[in-house]
Amino acid sequence: MAHMEMPADVGATIKATKQQLKAALPDYKRVFDEVEADIRAQVEEIKAIRASGGNPIPQLQADDIVNGNITAEQIADIRKRGCVIVHGVFDRAATEQWNRDIGEYLDGNNFEEALKNAAEDNYFGTLNEGKPQIYGVYWSKPQVLARQDERMKKVQCFLNGLWKTESGGKQHFDPNNIISYADRVRRRPPRSKPLGLSPHVDSGTIERWLDENFRYVYRNVFNGNWREYDPFDGDGRTEVREIPSPANASIFRTFQGWTSLSPQRTHGGTLKLVPVANGMAYILLRALQDDVAEDDFCGAQPKRALGVFEQWHGLLLEAECPIPDMEAGDCVFWHCDLVHSVEAEHNGEFDSNVMYIGVAPRCPKNEAYLDGQWTAFVEGKSPPDFAADDFETTFKGRATEADLTELGRRQLQR
């Protein structure tokens, strides 16, 4: 899958593209005002739910997904909010053991000493002080076991099924065919320093305006028919092109995700979401307004996450809320365009530990990634999307081909 080339002059390219987009949508201010009114209504609804003691983030039981007991109302709620907690994906006691196993895997292989020689991580910030929180390990046995779990696959297929996967006689991706995307683990102790994971969206910044394939995904935003914009329409999603960067997954994820290895609590350093599925329409059109410099997309920087800022996106940020309480074995999933962040402070009493496991359907864009990832798995190296620290090449106890089930092997290979 082709990447987008980094523009030689980013500012000039932004300016030219913005002029093009405005010319194609002369009433960009009126359209933005309409989108803003829609977002404001959603924000007020979310604030009212929170004020009454509720949480607007939908919650499901994994058993109900497995047994096909999800209602149309529940599905509509997830598509509106763009996120969901799924309780009980994994057995709690077994997941708590995974948590201990990962700790032993890291400690037994002197990971913190190895981290001192790590490549600088410009995405999550430097980790030079204090205990690290983001661990560049991908092939511990618990991670591999969780990714190839049959129950996890059923949840992932259900989430893919929330998307419109066919149109015009073309299947955009197979919702029932999952690939494994190896990602890291997080182990955040109480009172640990903030990592600076302020509100953002992953997998594309200036490309969302500059790349014609990205613009096709958002065609109904840029042509003014924003009510026709469906965040869950798969048409064009697997053809978008990102500027290569450790900040960008080069695969298409319908949902990003955390699998909780320990309890997750508000004020415990946990995840925060802006549960507004069509918030990207607001972000895209906000950058075209006349109070934004011609060579700027509201602070979007290439090769970084797409920042969401109080200065430009304050309305959206009013809807930001911590996720509901989660226990070990529960999962949270959020749409690939959803604004999210991590609580700056961890005032809880126990570590906030997670495995990053999202939802990546099989499609040509994702299959193109598998060969390099398979080699990384076999050799214990970092996967292609991540800094090439390759810590695990010498690690004792990492997962090998012998640990793969038939499903696990199929999900890791083209």
Side-chain angles (χ1 to χ4, degrees):
M1 178 58 63
H3 295 289
M4 179 183 166
E5 294 296 323
M6 180 77 169
D9 187 331
V10 172
T13 305
I14 290 175
K15 184 175 181 179
T17 302
K18 190 177 286 193
Q19 290 173 346
Q20 174 187 346
L21 292 171
K22 287 183 175 181
L25 185 65
D27 55 347
Y28 56 87
K29 184 181 187 307
R30 177 190 63 79
V31 174
F32 174 72
D33 288 345
E34 292 177 358
V35 171
E36 186 176 44
D38 175 80
I39 299 297
R40 188 177 304 281
Q42 293 188 63
V43 168
E44 292 305 316
E45 182 181 39
I46 289 166
K47 289 163 70 173
I49 291 171
R50 296 196 68 200
S52 67
N55 193 304
I57 296 171
Q59 301 183 62
L60 300 179
Q61 297 295 326
D63 283 347
D64 288 335
I65 293 175
V66 171
N67 296 322
N69 293 328
I70 304 301
T71 67
E73 290 76 15
Q74 288 172 310
I75 288 173
D77 198 28
I78 298 169
R79 296 184 85 255
K80 178 179 180 179
R81 303 298 185 195
C83 52
V84 62
I85 303 287
V86 184
H87 295 287
V89 177
F90 299 106
D91 175 78
R92 186 181 302 182
T95 308
E96 290 169 345
Q97 183 60 51
W98 280 350
N99 187 37
R100 292 189 288 270
D101 291 345
I102 291 174
E104 292 174 4
Y105 179 70
L106 294 166
D107 294 343
N109 288 291
N110 299 311
F111 179 80
E112 288 187 35
E113 187 65 29
L115 195 66
K116 294 178 181 178
N117 299 316
E120 181 181 5
D121 190 333
N122 288 319
Y123 185 45
F124 285 109
T126 57
L127 300 175
N128 296 332
E129 298 182 13
K131 189 175 177 65
Q133 298 172 31
I134 306 296
Y135 292 78
V137 296
Y138 309 88
W139 310 119
S140 71
K141 289 184 179 180
Q143 288 169 282
V144 171
L145 291 173
R147 293 179 200 132
Q148 68 181 11
D149 184 83
E150 294 278 358
R151 191 170 166 91
M152 169 61 95
K153 183 194 174 189
K154 288 180 180 177
V155 172
Q156 292 171 319
C157 290
F158 163 77
L159 293 169
N160 278 341
L162 301 177
W163 284 69
K164 181 181 178 183
T165 60
E166 292 185 46
S167 60
K170 175 187 176 184
Q171 184 175 52
H172 310 306
F173 59 86
D174 183 351
N176 297 311
N177 198 338
I178 306 292
I179 70 157
S180 284
Y181 181 68
D183 206 332
R184 296 171 280 198
V185 296
R186 184 186 92 135
R187 299 178 74 82
R188 187 177 184 188
R191 286 160 291 284
S192 51
K193 295 183 179 183
L195 269 181
L197 289 182
S198 53
H200 66 281
V201 180
D202 293 298
S203 299
T205 57
I206 60 174
E207 303 98 304
R208 295 177 189 272
W209 293 269
L210 300 185
D211 175 48
E212 63 183 21
N213 292 3
F214 255 123
R215 290 203 300 269
Y216 178 79
V217 167
Y218 306 122
R219 59 198 178 279
N220 286 317
V221 176
F222 289 127
N223 68 20
N225 297 319
W226 65 272
R227 291 181 181 84
E228 301 302 314
Y229 165 60
D230 179 3
F232 289 89
D233 184 355
D235 190 10
R237 286 278 182 177
T238 66
E239 283 85 39
V240 302
R241 295 174 296 200
E242 299 89 2
I243 297 171
S245 161
N248 282 334
S250 65
I251 66 158
F252 166 56
R253 291 173 290 185
T254 54
F255 287 84
Q256 294 173 246
W258 278 15
T259 292
S260 193
L261 295 166
S262 66
Q264 302 295 321
R265 299 287 187 271
T266 301
H267 308 306
T270 195
L271 183 71
K272 295 194 290 185
L273 300 173
V274 175
V276 179
N278 67 339
M280 185 54 65
Y282 176 89
I283 293 170
L284 294 171
L285 291 174
R286 182 69 187 86
L288 302 186
Q289 303 312 301
D290 293 338
D291 61 337
V292 184
E294 283 298 298
D295 61 353
D296 179 33
F297 286 138
C298 293
Q301 298 293 321
K303 299 190 175 185
R304 295 286 193 272
L306 176 62
V308 177
F309 304 108
E310 186 67 39
Q311 175 185 1
W312 306 114
H313 315 108
L315 176 61
L316 264 182
L317 294 177
E318 289 182 37
E320 186 179 58
C321 53
I323 60 174
D325 288 354
M326 292 169 57
E327 308 301 334
D330 295 345
C331 299
V332 56
F333 297 96
W334 63 97
H335 186 282
C336 52
D337 282 354
L338 207 71
V339 178
H340 58 286
S341 64
V342 172
E343 290 181 328
E345 304 297 330
H346 181 352
N347 298 317
E349 298 303 316
F350 35 76
D351 287 4
S352 176
N353 296 348
V354 305
M355 294 185 283
Y356 299 109
I357 304 178
V359 187
R362 187 172 289 272
C363 61
K365 180 179 176 69
N366 292 351
E367 286 187 323
Y369 184 78
L370 289 178
D371 289 345
Q373 182 178 249
W374 175 258
T375 299
F377 166 66
V378 171
E379 299 178 1
K381 292 183 176 180
S382 303
D385 271 353
F386 300 89
D389 293 312
D390 300 336
F391 295 122
E392 294 173 273
T393 55
T394 60
F395 275 21
K396 297 176 182 177
R398 79 166 190 264
T400 67
E401 291 187 58
D403 296 296
L404 296 179
T405 62
E406 180 183 347
L407 173 63
R409 181 178 292 272
R410 192 164 65 244
Q411 291 181 166
L412 273 171
Q413 294 184 327
R414 189 192 288 260

PDB file of all heavy atoms in Angstrom, residues 4 23 56 58 72 109 117 123 135-136 149 156 163-165 170 173 189 223 252 263 288 315 321 342 373 409:
ATOM      1  N   MET A   4       1.765   8.340   1.654  1.00  0.00           N
ATOM      2  CA  MET A   4       1.806   9.708   1.155  1.00  0.00           C
ATOM      3  C   MET A   4       3.201  10.262   1.398  1.00  0.00           C
ATOM      4  O   MET A   4       3.788  10.057   2.457  1.00  0.00           O
ATOM      5  CB  MET A   4       0.767  10.564   1.883  1.00  0.00           C
ATOM      6  CG  MET A   4       0.779  12.011   1.437  1.00  0.00           C
ATOM      7  SD  MET A   4      -0.377  13.043   2.346  1.00  0.00           S
ATOM      8  CE  MET A   4       0.214  14.666   1.877  1.00  0.00           C
ATOM      9  N   ALA A  23     -12.748  26.737  -2.284  1.00  0.00           N
ATOM     10  CA  ALA A  23     -13.347  27.012  -3.591  1.00  0.00           C
ATOM     11  C   ALA A  23     -14.433  25.997  -3.916  1.00  0.00           C
ATOM     12  O   ALA A  23     -15.453  26.330  -4.544  1.00  0.00           O
ATOM     13  CB  ALA A  23     -12.268  26.999  -4.670  1.00  0.00           C
ATOM     14  N   PRO A  56     -21.922   8.274  29.367  1.00  0.00           N
ATOM     15  CA  PRO A  56     -22.476   8.140  28.013  1.00  0.00           C
ATOM     16  C   PRO A  56     -21.819   7.047  27.177  1.00  0.00           C
ATOM     17  O   PRO A  56     -22.318   6.731  26.091  1.00  0.00           O
ATOM     18  CB  PRO A  56     -22.209   9.516  27.402  1.00  0.00           C
ATOM     19  CG  PRO A  56     -20.994  10.014  28.130  1.00  0.00           C
ATOM     20  CD  PRO A  56     -21.122   9.498  29.531  1.00  0.00           C
ATOM     21  N   PRO A  58     -21.222   3.558  25.898  1.00  0.00           N
ATOM     22  CA  PRO A  58     -22.008   2.311  25.958  1.00  0.00           C
ATOM     23  C   PRO A  58     -21.210   1.177  26.600  1.00  0.00           C
ATOM     24  O   PRO A  58     -19.983   1.123  26.514  1.00  0.00           O
ATOM     25  CB  PRO A  58     -22.306   2.018  24.488  1.00  0.00           C
ATOM     26  CG  PRO A  58     -22.123   3.315  23.776  1.00  0.00           C
ATOM     27  CD  PRO A  58     -21.057   4.046  24.517  1.00  0.00           C
ATOM     28  N   ALA A  72     -30.857  -3.738  18.680  1.00  0.00           N
ATOM     29  CA  ALA A  72     -30.668  -2.673  17.695  1.00  0.00           C
ATOM     30  C   ALA A  72     -30.392  -1.343  18.383  1.00  0.00           C
ATOM     31  O   ALA A  72     -29.620  -0.512  17.883  1.00  0.00           O
ATOM     32  CB  ALA A  72     -31.900  -2.564  16.803  1.00  0.00           C
ATOM     33  N   ASN A 109      13.873 -10.201  31.966  1.00  0.00           N
ATOM     34  CA  ASN A 109      14.729  -9.860  30.836  1.00  0.00           C
ATOM     35  C   ASN A 109      15.329  -8.458  30.956  1.00  0.00           C
ATOM     36  O   ASN A 109      15.827  -7.908  29.963  1.00  0.00           O
ATOM     37  CB  ASN A 109      13.929  -9.984  29.533  1.00  0.00           C
ATOM     38  CG  ASN A 109      13.648 -11.427  29.157  1.00  0.00           C
ATOM     39  OD1 ASN A 109      14.546 -12.175  28.791  1.00  0.00           O
ATOM     40  ND2 ASN A 109      12.379 -11.837  29.274  1.00  0.00           N
ATOM     41  N   ASN A 117      18.630   2.323  26.248  1.00  0.00           N
ATOM     42  CA  ASN A 117      19.245   2.414  24.924  1.00  0.00           C
ATOM     43  C   ASN A 117      18.205   2.512  23.818  1.00  0.00           C
ATOM     44  O   ASN A 117      18.516   2.317  22.644  1.00  0.00           O
ATOM     45  CB  ASN A 117      20.128   1.187  24.673  1.00  0.00           C
ATOM     46  CG  ASN A 117      21.246   1.076  25.683  1.00  0.00           C
ATOM     47  OD1 ASN A 117      21.897   2.070  25.993  1.00  0.00           O
ATOM     48  ND2 ASN A 117      21.463  -0.115  26.213  1.00  0.00           N
ATOM     49  N   TYR A 123       6.434  10.090  19.679  1.00  0.00           N
ATOM     50  CA  TYR A 123       4.974  10.057  19.742  1.00  0.00           C
ATOM     51  C   TYR A 123       4.499  10.152  21.174  1.00  0.00           C
ATOM     52  O   TYR A 123       3.661  10.965  21.532  1.00  0.00           O
ATOM     53  CB  TYR A 123       4.478   8.763  19.093  1.00  0.00           C
ATOM     54  CG  TYR A 123       2.982   8.655  18.979  1.00  0.00           C
ATOM     55  CD1 TYR A 123       2.220   9.728  18.535  1.00  0.00           C
ATOM     56  CD2 TYR A 123       2.331   7.468  19.286  1.00  0.00           C
ATOM     57  CE1 TYR A 123       0.848   9.619  18.400  1.00  0.00           C
ATOM     58  CE2 TYR A 123       0.965   7.355  19.156  1.00  0.00           C
ATOM     59  CZ  TYR A 123       0.237   8.434  18.709  1.00  0.00           C
ATOM     60  OH  TYR A 123      -1.126   8.308  18.588  1.00  0.00           O
ATOM     61  N   TYR A 135       5.697   0.190  27.164  1.00  0.00           N
ATOM     62  CA  TYR A 135       6.733  -0.823  27.018  1.00  0.00           C
ATOM     63  C   TYR A 135       6.705  -1.387  25.602  1.00  0.00           C
ATOM     64  O   TYR A 135       5.689  -1.954  25.180  1.00  0.00           O
ATOM     65  CB  TYR A 135       6.503  -1.947  28.036  1.00  0.00           C
ATOM     66  CG  TYR A 135       6.728  -1.522  29.474  1.00  0.00           C
ATOM     67  CD1 TYR A 135       5.767  -0.779  30.157  1.00  0.00           C
ATOM     68  CD2 TYR A 135       7.905  -1.857  30.136  1.00  0.00           C
ATOM     69  CE1 TYR A 135       5.974  -0.379  31.472  1.00  0.00           C
ATOM     70  CE2 TYR A 135       8.120  -1.473  31.453  1.00  0.00           C
ATOM     71  CZ  TYR A 135       7.156  -0.728  32.108  1.00  0.00           C
ATOM     72  OH  TYR A 135       7.362  -0.337  33.410  1.00  0.00           O
ATOM     73  N   GLY A 136       7.833  -1.219  24.892  1.00  0.00           N
ATOM     74  CA  GLY A 136       7.925  -1.670  23.515  1.00  0.00           C
ATOM     75  C   GLY A 136       8.163  -3.163  23.407  1.00  0.00           C
ATOM     76  O   GLY A 136       9.153  -3.596  22.809  1.00  0.00           O
ATOM     77  N   ASP A 149      -7.218 -15.199  20.645  1.00  0.00           N
ATOM     78  CA  ASP A 149      -8.304 -15.803  21.404  1.00  0.00           C
ATOM     79  C   ASP A 149      -9.600 -15.813  20.584  1.00  0.00           C
ATOM     80  O   ASP A 149      -9.971 -14.805  19.977  1.00  0.00           O
ATOM     81  CB  ASP A 149      -8.507 -15.013  22.697  1.00  0.00           C
ATOM     82  CG  ASP A 149      -9.560 -15.629  23.592  1.00  0.00           C
ATOM     83  OD1 ASP A 149      -9.236 -16.568  24.335  1.00  0.00           O
ATOM     84  OD2 ASP A 149     -10.717 -15.167  23.522  1.00  0.00           O
ATOM     85  N   GLN A 156     -14.346  -8.781  18.091  1.00  0.00           N
ATOM     86  CA  GLN A 156     -13.810  -7.966  17.005  1.00  0.00           C
ATOM     87  C   GLN A 156     -14.686  -8.042  15.755  1.00  0.00           C
ATOM     88  O   GLN A 156     -14.932  -7.021  15.092  1.00  0.00           O
ATOM     89  CB  GLN A 156     -12.384  -8.410  16.688  1.00  0.00           C
ATOM     90  CG  GLN A 156     -11.383  -8.102  17.794  1.00  0.00           C
ATOM     91  CD  GLN A 156     -10.031  -8.746  17.554  1.00  0.00           C
ATOM     92  OE1 GLN A 156      -9.960  -9.897  17.112  1.00  0.00           O
ATOM     93  NE2 GLN A 156      -8.957  -8.031  17.828  1.00  0.00           N
ATOM     94  N   TRP A 163     -19.803  -1.596  10.860  1.00  0.00           N
ATOM     95  CA  TRP A 163     -19.415  -0.807   9.697  1.00  0.00           C
ATOM     96  C   TRP A 163     -20.202  -1.220   8.460  1.00  0.00           C
ATOM     97  O   TRP A 163     -20.652  -2.359   8.343  1.00  0.00           O
ATOM     98  CB  TRP A 163     -17.918  -0.989   9.416  1.00  0.00           C
ATOM     99  CG  TRP A 163     -17.026  -0.232  10.353  1.00  0.00           C
ATOM    100  CD1 TRP A 163     -16.818  -0.478  11.682  1.00  0.00           C
ATOM    101  CD2 TRP A 163     -16.211   0.895  10.035  1.00  0.00           C
ATOM    102  NE1 TRP A 163     -15.929   0.420  12.193  1.00  0.00           N
ATOM    103  CE2 TRP A 163     -15.539   1.281  11.205  1.00  0.00           C
ATOM    104  CE3 TRP A 163     -15.981   1.615   8.851  1.00  0.00           C
ATOM    105  CZ2 TRP A 163     -14.657   2.362  11.236  1.00  0.00           C
ATOM    106  CZ3 TRP A 163     -15.104   2.693   8.881  1.00  0.00           C
ATOM    107  CH2 TRP A 163     -14.445   3.056  10.069  1.00  0.00           C
ATOM    108  N   LYS A 164     -20.337  -0.283   7.544  1.00  0.00           N
ATOM    109  CA  LYS A 164     -20.868  -0.570   6.216  1.00  0.00           C
ATOM    110  C   LYS A 164     -19.700  -1.094   5.395  1.00  0.00           C
ATOM    111  O   LYS A 164     -18.796  -0.333   5.026  1.00  0.00           O
ATOM    112  CB  LYS A 164     -21.442   0.697   5.595  1.00  0.00           C
ATOM    113  CG  LYS A 164     -22.040   0.505   4.213  1.00  0.00           C
ATOM    114  CD  LYS A 164     -22.568   1.840   3.678  1.00  0.00           C
ATOM    115  CE  LYS A 164     -23.126   1.709   2.267  1.00  0.00           C
ATOM    116  NZ  LYS A 164     -23.575   3.027   1.750  1.00  0.00           N
ATOM    117  N   THR A 165     -19.693  -2.393   5.118  1.00  0.00           N
ATOM    118  CA  THR A 165     -18.513  -3.018   4.518  1.00  0.00           C
ATOM    119  C   THR A 165     -18.649  -3.274   3.020  1.00  0.00           C
ATOM    120  O   THR A 165     -17.695  -3.720   2.396  1.00  0.00           O
ATOM    121  CB  THR A 165     -18.203  -4.349   5.231  1.00  0.00           C
ATOM    122  OG1 THR A 165     -19.334  -5.227   5.091  1.00  0.00           O
ATOM    123  CG2 THR A 165     -17.931  -4.121   6.708  1.00  0.00           C
ATOM    124  N   LYS A 170     -18.958  -3.659  -4.285  1.00  0.00           N
ATOM    125  CA  LYS A 170     -17.575  -3.851  -3.848  1.00  0.00           C
ATOM    126  C   LYS A 170     -17.553  -4.094  -2.346  1.00  0.00           C
ATOM    127  O   LYS A 170     -18.207  -3.376  -1.576  1.00  0.00           O
ATOM    128  CB  LYS A 170     -16.737  -2.625  -4.188  1.00  0.00           C
ATOM    129  CG  LYS A 170     -15.303  -2.690  -3.665  1.00  0.00           C
ATOM    130  CD  LYS A 170     -14.568  -1.381  -3.880  1.00  0.00           C
ATOM    131  CE  LYS A 170     -13.185  -1.406  -3.273  1.00  0.00           C
ATOM    132  NZ  LYS A 170     -12.483  -0.103  -3.391  1.00  0.00           N
ATOM    133  N   PHE A 173     -13.972  -4.456   3.043  1.00  0.00           N
ATOM    134  CA  PHE A 173     -13.174  -5.382   3.838  1.00  0.00           C
ATOM    135  C   PHE A 173     -14.098  -6.475   4.340  1.00  0.00           C
ATOM    136  O   PHE A 173     -15.318  -6.337   4.334  1.00  0.00           O
ATOM    137  CB  PHE A 173     -12.443  -4.684   4.995  1.00  0.00           C
ATOM    138  CG  PHE A 173     -13.344  -3.959   5.976  1.00  0.00           C
ATOM    139  CD1 PHE A 173     -13.931  -4.628   7.041  1.00  0.00           C
ATOM    140  CD2 PHE A 173     -13.578  -2.597   5.847  1.00  0.00           C
ATOM    141  CE1 PHE A 173     -14.747  -3.967   7.942  1.00  0.00           C
ATOM    142  CE2 PHE A 173     -14.393  -1.918   6.744  1.00  0.00           C
ATOM    143  CZ  PHE A 173     -14.978  -2.605   7.802  1.00  0.00           C
ATOM    144  N   PRO A 189       2.221   2.980  37.027  1.00  0.00           N
ATOM    145  CA  PRO A 189       2.086   2.896  38.477  1.00  0.00           C
ATOM    146  C   PRO A 189       1.421   4.144  39.060  1.00  0.00           C
ATOM    147  O   PRO A 189       1.395   5.202  38.420  1.00  0.00           O
ATOM    148  CB  PRO A 189       3.538   2.770  38.951  1.00  0.00           C
ATOM    149  CG  PRO A 189       4.338   3.439  37.882  1.00  0.00           C
ATOM    150  CD  PRO A 189       3.597   3.219  36.592  1.00  0.00           C
ATOM    151  N   ASN A 223     -17.979  18.349   0.791  1.00  0.00           N
ATOM    152  CA  ASN A 223     -18.908  18.879  -0.226  1.00  0.00           C
ATOM    153  C   ASN A 223     -20.146  19.518   0.396  1.00  0.00           C
ATOM    154  O   ASN A 223     -21.053  19.951  -0.321  1.00  0.00           O
ATOM    155  CB  ASN A 223     -19.292  17.795  -1.245  1.00  0.00           C
ATOM    156  CG  ASN A 223     -20.148  16.681  -0.648  1.00  0.00           C
ATOM    157  OD1 ASN A 223     -20.771  16.846   0.408  1.00  0.00           O
ATOM    158  ND2 ASN A 223     -20.188  15.537  -1.328  1.00  0.00           N
ATOM    159  N   PHE A 252      -5.270  -0.305   8.644  1.00  0.00           N
ATOM    160  CA  PHE A 252      -6.598   0.240   8.925  1.00  0.00           C
ATOM    161  C   PHE A 252      -7.191  -0.494  10.116  1.00  0.00           C
ATOM    162  O   PHE A 252      -7.330  -1.714  10.098  1.00  0.00           O
ATOM    163  CB  PHE A 252      -7.504   0.076   7.706  1.00  0.00           C
ATOM    164  CG  PHE A 252      -8.962   0.302   7.995  1.00  0.00           C
ATOM    165  CD1 PHE A 252      -9.408   1.490   8.560  1.00  0.00           C
ATOM    166  CD2 PHE A 252      -9.901  -0.682   7.710  1.00  0.00           C
ATOM    167  CE1 PHE A 252     -10.751   1.688   8.832  1.00  0.00           C
ATOM    168  CE2 PHE A 252     -11.249  -0.493   7.971  1.00  0.00           C
ATOM    169  CZ  PHE A 252     -11.674   0.697   8.538  1.00  0.00           C
ATOM    170  N   PRO A 263      -7.592  -3.294  37.258  1.00  0.00           N
ATOM    171  CA  PRO A 263      -8.755  -2.408  37.306  1.00  0.00           C
ATOM    172  C   PRO A 263      -8.447  -1.035  36.709  1.00  0.00           C
ATOM    173  O   PRO A 263      -7.340  -0.512  36.872  1.00  0.00           O
ATOM    174  CB  PRO A 263      -9.047  -2.302  38.811  1.00  0.00           C
ATOM    175  CG  PRO A 263      -8.473  -3.540  39.408  1.00  0.00           C
ATOM    176  CD  PRO A 263      -7.246  -3.827  38.590  1.00  0.00           C
ATOM    177  N   LEU A 288     -10.956  25.093   8.184  1.00  0.00           N
ATOM    178  CA  LEU A 288     -11.194  25.927   7.008  1.00  0.00           C
ATOM    179  C   LEU A 288     -11.723  27.309   7.368  1.00  0.00           C
ATOM    180  O   LEU A 288     -11.872  28.154   6.465  1.00  0.00           O
ATOM    181  CB  LEU A 288     -12.194  25.242   6.063  1.00  0.00           C
ATOM    182  CG  LEU A 288     -11.825  23.850   5.539  1.00  0.00           C
ATOM    183  CD1 LEU A 288     -12.866  23.398   4.517  1.00  0.00           C
ATOM    184  CD2 LEU A 288     -10.427  23.827   4.951  1.00  0.00           C
ATOM    185  N   LEU A 315     -15.285  23.108  22.037  1.00  0.00           N
ATOM    186  CA  LEU A 315     -16.624  22.531  22.140  1.00  0.00           C
ATOM    187  C   LEU A 315     -16.550  21.012  22.260  1.00  0.00           C
ATOM    188  O   LEU A 315     -17.195  20.402  23.122  1.00  0.00           O
ATOM    189  CB  LEU A 315     -17.466  22.933  20.925  1.00  0.00           C
ATOM    190  CG  LEU A 315     -18.870  22.321  20.850  1.00  0.00           C
ATOM    191  CD1 LEU A 315     -19.709  22.733  22.049  1.00  0.00           C
ATOM    192  CD2 LEU A 315     -19.556  22.705  19.542  1.00  0.00           C
ATOM    193  N   CYS A 321     -14.734  12.543  28.632  1.00  0.00           N
ATOM    194  CA  CYS A 321     -15.076  11.911  29.908  1.00  0.00           C
ATOM    195  C   CYS A 321     -14.265  10.630  30.107  1.00  0.00           C
ATOM    196  O   CYS A 321     -13.924   9.945  29.139  1.00  0.00           O
ATOM    197  CB  CYS A 321     -16.567  11.621  29.999  1.00  0.00           C
ATOM    198  SG  CYS A 321     -17.259  10.692  28.640  1.00  0.00           S
ATOM    199  N   VAL A 342      -5.349  10.391  27.773  1.00  0.00           N
ATOM    200  CA  VAL A 342      -5.113   9.637  29.005  1.00  0.00           C
ATOM    201  C   VAL A 342      -5.056  10.627  30.153  1.00  0.00           C
ATOM    202  O   VAL A 342      -4.482  11.721  30.020  1.00  0.00           O
ATOM    203  CB  VAL A 342      -3.802   8.825  28.921  1.00  0.00           C
ATOM    204  CG1 VAL A 342      -3.456   8.200  30.254  1.00  0.00           C
ATOM    205  CG2 VAL A 342      -3.916   7.743  27.846  1.00  0.00           C
ATOM    206  N   GLN A 373       5.570  -8.004   9.579  1.00  0.00           N
ATOM    207  CA  GLN A 373       5.227  -8.288  10.972  1.00  0.00           C
ATOM    208  C   GLN A 373       5.546  -9.746  11.317  1.00  0.00           C
ATOM    209  O   GLN A 373       6.002 -10.050  12.428  1.00  0.00           O
ATOM    210  CB  GLN A 373       3.750  -7.991  11.228  1.00  0.00           C
ATOM    211  CG  GLN A 373       3.345  -8.223  12.669  1.00  0.00           C
ATOM    212  CD  GLN A 373       1.889  -7.882  12.938  1.00  0.00           C
ATOM    213  OE1 GLN A 373       1.592  -6.928  13.627  1.00  0.00           O
ATOM    214  NE2 GLN A 373       0.975  -8.680  12.388  1.00  0.00           N
ATOM    215  N   ARG A 409      -2.011 -18.323  13.767  1.00  0.00           N
ATOM    216  CA  ARG A 409      -1.130 -18.334  12.606  1.00  0.00           C
ATOM    217  C   ARG A 409      -1.813 -17.678  11.409  1.00  0.00           C
ATOM    218  O   ARG A 409      -1.195 -16.896  10.678  1.00  0.00           O
ATOM    219  CB  ARG A 409      -0.744 -19.773  12.273  1.00  0.00           C
ATOM    220  CG  ARG A 409       0.202 -19.902  11.078  1.00  0.00           C
ATOM    221  CD  ARG A 409       0.594 -21.355  10.835  1.00  0.00           C
ATOM    222  NE  ARG A 409       1.422 -21.846  11.926  1.00  0.00           N
ATOM    223  CZ  ARG A 409       2.759 -21.726  11.940  1.00  0.00           C
ATOM    224  NH1 ARG A 409       3.375 -21.126  10.942  1.00  0.00           N
ATOM    225  NH2 ARG A 409       3.455 -22.209  12.953  1.00  0.00           N
TER     226      ARG A 409
END
